[in-house]
Amino acid sequence: MGAAMNDGRPEVSVVIPVYNEALILEESVTALCAALRERGWAFEIILAENGSRDETPRIGEDLGRRYPEVSIFRHPEPNYGGALRQGILRASGRFVICEEIDLCDAEFHGRAIELLRGGGVDMVVGSKAMRGADDTRPLGRRVATRVYNGMLRVAVGFRGTDTHGLKAFVRETVVPVVEACVVEHDVFASELVVRAHRRGLRVLEIPVHVREKRAPSVRLLNRVPKVIRHVARLMVAIHGRGDG
Ligand SMILES: Nc1nc2c(ncn2[C@@H]2O[C@H](COP(=O)(O)OP(=O)(O)O)[C@@H](O)[C@H]2O)c(=O)[nH]1
Ligand SMILES: [Mg+2]
């Protein structure tokens, strides 16, 4: 594995859910691997795949053979949140970065790990909507981010500006929060951030520059009914049982 391992464990685990990403998987992982090696970090990259209908699994396996830092596993059902959660639980690094294959934002990695190493924060969230962020996605996506965040504000009293993107955290501190999460699919990522806030973890948002390597794969409108159902479920889980 990479340089400077501690007890055979990497310092940084990068978890990336992947679904039908054959077009950009190899290029993204190769560039990410090179960028992380360049930093001299001891790291691993965990690809969390499920149900792809293209060459994603084969390309992922192949990358795993070529790069000792890279591994891929298959989550049994098509479920972004389930795959992400499983990937986090498989991670062994002191810090975990949750990435997206179309972003792989090296600048975020550098800033987030520096903040986590400093010890003053438990979780760093990359915000696409706060002051200083630069979001180059289409207008519909940028509006959706704000509407969704407004829903979380009303439903569960979320006070931040974004939950659904890049994050990095101290594994040991955040795994219990992951284990407390009940909602699957897209909303799991939000539940993790919302619960981290509610439990009094030190969560810091930093602005990100969003540059997607390709258009989003899942059509926005198709996702809406499911997201509304899952936010409702989250609201009941948090208020209904009064848990954090
Ligand atoms: N395992 C898994 N990964 C997914 C799924 N849907 C999307 N992803 C991955 O999640 C990341 C973000 O997906 P993307 O289509 O860009 O959605 P966005 O959130 O609208 O930007 C990418 O790495 C995708 O490959 C899914 O159902 N399962
Ligand atoms: Mg995307």
Side-chain angles (χ1 to χ4, degrees), residues 16-19 21 48-50 78-80 83 99-102 137 141 164 186 212 214 216-218 223:
I16 317 179
V18 288
Y19 176 70
E21 297 287 7
E49 192 277 336
N50 59 240
N79 179 344
Y80 165 86
E99 253 293 2
E100 302 186 7
I101 201 66
D102 58 322
R137 294 175 307 156
R141 289 277 163 170
H164 188 78
D186 287 288
E212 288 182 319
R214 52 130 181 82
S217 50
V218 189
R223 266 150 92 173

Side-chain angles (χ1 to χ4, degrees), residues 177-192:
V177 187
V178 171
E179 284 166 343
C181 290
V182 297
V183 179
E184 307 266 332
H185 299 278
D186 287 288
V187 179
F188 162 75
S190 305
E191 178 173 17
L192 182 57

Side-chain angles (χ1 to χ4, degrees), residues 45-58:
I45 298 173
I46 299 174
L47 303 173
E49 192 277 336
N50 59 240
S52 294
R53 287 179 305 270
D54 66 2
E55 292 283 277
T56 295
R58 190 194 57 73

Side-chain angles (χ1 to χ4, degrees), residues 32-150:
L32 176 62
C33 216
L36 294 171
R37 282 179 179 179
E38 181 106 341
R39 289 183 187 275
W41 293 354
F43 67 94
E44 63 177 347
I45 298 173
I46 299 174
L47 303 173
E49 192 277 336
N50 59 240
S52 294
R53 287 179 305 270
D54 66 2
E55 292 283 277
T56 295
R58 190 194 57 73
I59 297 169
E61 301 282 353
D62 191 48
L63 287 163
R65 277 189 291 272
R66 267 162 48 206
Y67 298 100
E69 297 94 337
V70 177
S71 64
I72 182 168
F73 74 91
R74 324 278 301 268
H75 188 69
E77 346 141 21
N79 179 344
Y80 165 86
L84 178 58
R85 172 209 281 258
Q86 201 53 47
I88 295 170
L89 296 177
R90 283 169 181 251
S92 61
R94 183 168 160 230
F95 306 126
V96 177
I97 299 176
C98 301
E99 253 293 2
E100 302 186 7
I101 201 66
D102 58 322
L103 299 178
C104 292
D105 181 347
E107 201 186 313
F108 176 79
H109 304 161
R111 286 191 296 158
I113 294 301
E114 194 183 310
L115 285 162
L116 293 172
R117 280 177 178 162
V121 287
D122 302 308
M123 179 184 278
V124 181
V125 178
S127 171
K128 301 183 285 298
M130 75 190 289
R131 184 184 296 272
D134 175 19
D135 190 350
T136 57
R137 294 175 307 156
L139 178 65
R141 289 277 163 170
R142 284 180 276 140
V143 170
T145 292
R146 274 130 184 113
V147 171
Y148 178 59
N149 206 67

